[in-house]
Amino acid sequence: MEPDFSEHPNGDSPLKDGTVADNIERLGQTNPVSDESNIYCLTIVGQVEGHMVLPPQNKTTKYEHIIPQLVAAEQSERIEGVLIILNTVGGDVEAGLAIAEMISSLSKPKVTLVLGGGHSIGVPIAVASDYSFIAETATMTIHPIRLNGLVIGVPQSFEYLEKMQERVTRFITTHSRITEGTLRDLMLRTGELARDIGTTVVGPDAVQYGLINEIGGLGLAMAKLRQLIGEYRGMRVGVEMTQ
């Protein structure tokens, strides 16, 4: 959506007072929640940043920015649907799961579109919506959880890692059509990734495995979201009539 460059009542433009520029710098968007459209577009790009601040040269999506935007979209009376666009390499596991849980718990229709890549912890985010699309040339890397930094070599560390892996696996299998056996086979496959175990799945294969619902781009994603919004409106009318 194009930003409004009309003058403010005091004669200043939005760019002059810094609001639009600040939003672009902090969130990568011109307007976090706009009442001019009934569809809110949320972008998750680069690396999902969690509890640790990443180097400034990294392209990041900060979960402390995403969560308030989702809350605002849920509260807005004018916003009837959310489009989530992903091109992410993954990142912090708990932050990614928090975003995925927030998306799945939205009461309003939501559609995800994977462009470029939806790797690692981006997979749960991609399947968290009501319906998901992936571009034909986009890819998704599926691999087990890894740890960075100091690891205490005790059984409790490995048990914690296994429990976290179970959380991710359970979320993916619950919100998509892929079976747990197929997902674990893709995670633990050797010889495909140069420095790790796992699998890189291209768009059509992601649909075949049941991770993603359909191959498509922006047009199909918007059309599906409008269809879900129409059904959502019908449900709301039905609830109001019964009350």
Side-chain angles (χ1 to χ4, degrees):
M1 182 176 297
E2 292 295 329
D4 183 8
F5 294 111
S6 59
E7 290 190 348
H8 285 183
N10 60 5
D12 294 329
S13 69
L15 284 179
K16 186 175 181 180
D17 63 24
T19 55
V20 173
D22 288 344
N23 286 332
I24 293 174
E25 181 178 353
R26 291 187 298 109
L27 307 176
Q29 300 182 88
T30 57
N31 198 353
V33 176
S34 173
D35 285 338
E36 298 177 6
S37 172
N38 67 330
I39 294 177
Y40 178 53
C41 179
L42 179 71
T43 56
I44 299 176
V45 297
Q47 191 165 349
V48 177
E49 185 179 275
H51 305 299
M52 301 295 293
V53 177
L54 295 173
Q57 67 268 21
N58 287 32
K59 174 76 71 175
T60 62
T61 295
K62 301 177 184 293
Y63 82 108
E64 68 268 26
H65 290 169
I66 296 295
I67 290 177
Q69 292 179 69
L70 290 171
V71 173
E74 175 71 17
Q75 288 182 319
S76 174
E77 293 292 334
R78 295 289 300 275
I79 299 298
E80 296 181 293
V82 180
L83 175 67
I84 302 101
I85 297 180
L86 290 96
N87 190 359
T88 176
V89 296
D92 188 279
V93 174
E94 291 190 344
L97 274 181
I99 294 172
E101 290 283 8
M102 288 285 289
I103 292 173
S104 66
S105 62
L106 284 172
S107 65
K108 300 176 180 181
K110 55 271 185 188
V111 169
T112 49
L113 172 60
V114 180
L115 297 173
H119 306 294
S120 191
I121 201 60
V123 176
I125 300 175
V127 304
S129 64
D130 300 318
Y131 203 86
S132 56
F133 288 88
I134 185 170
E136 191 167 359
T137 56
T139 58
M140 304 178 78
T141 301
I142 304 168
H143 63 77
I145 291 175
R146 300 166 295 186
L147 294 178
N148 292 328
L150 177 65
V151 179
I152 301 175
V154 294
Q156 290 86 343
S157 296
F158 297 100
E159 290 173 5
Y160 173 75
L161 186 62
E162 185 177 1
K163 289 179 180 178
M164 186 175 291
Q165 182 65 69
E166 289 177 359
R167 291 161 56 195
V168 175
T169 302
R170 190 183 312 117
F171 187 93
I172 294 174
T173 54
T174 301
H175 292 84
S176 67
R177 295 177 289 107
I178 194 170
T179 63
E180 183 176 346
T182 302
L183 181 61
R184 290 191 178 276
D185 176 66
L186 294 173
M187 280 184 180
L188 303 177
R189 189 172 296 175
T190 58
E192 186 162 328
L193 301 183
R195 295 181 299 171
D196 201 356
I197 58 175
T199 306
T200 298
V201 179
V202 188
D205 294 330
V207 176
Q208 181 179 354
Y209 286 127
L211 270 176
I212 301 296
N213 293 111
E214 189 177 338
I215 292 288
L218 181 59
L220 286 177
M222 292 293 289
K224 183 64 178 181
L225 186 54
R226 292 191 184 100
Q227 175 192 334
L228 295 176
I229 289 174
E231 297 171 1
Y232 172 73
R233 288 172 179 169
M235 291 175 56
R236 291 182 65 183
V237 170
V239 171
E240 291 174 359
M241 290 180 64
T242 56
Q243 292 178 346

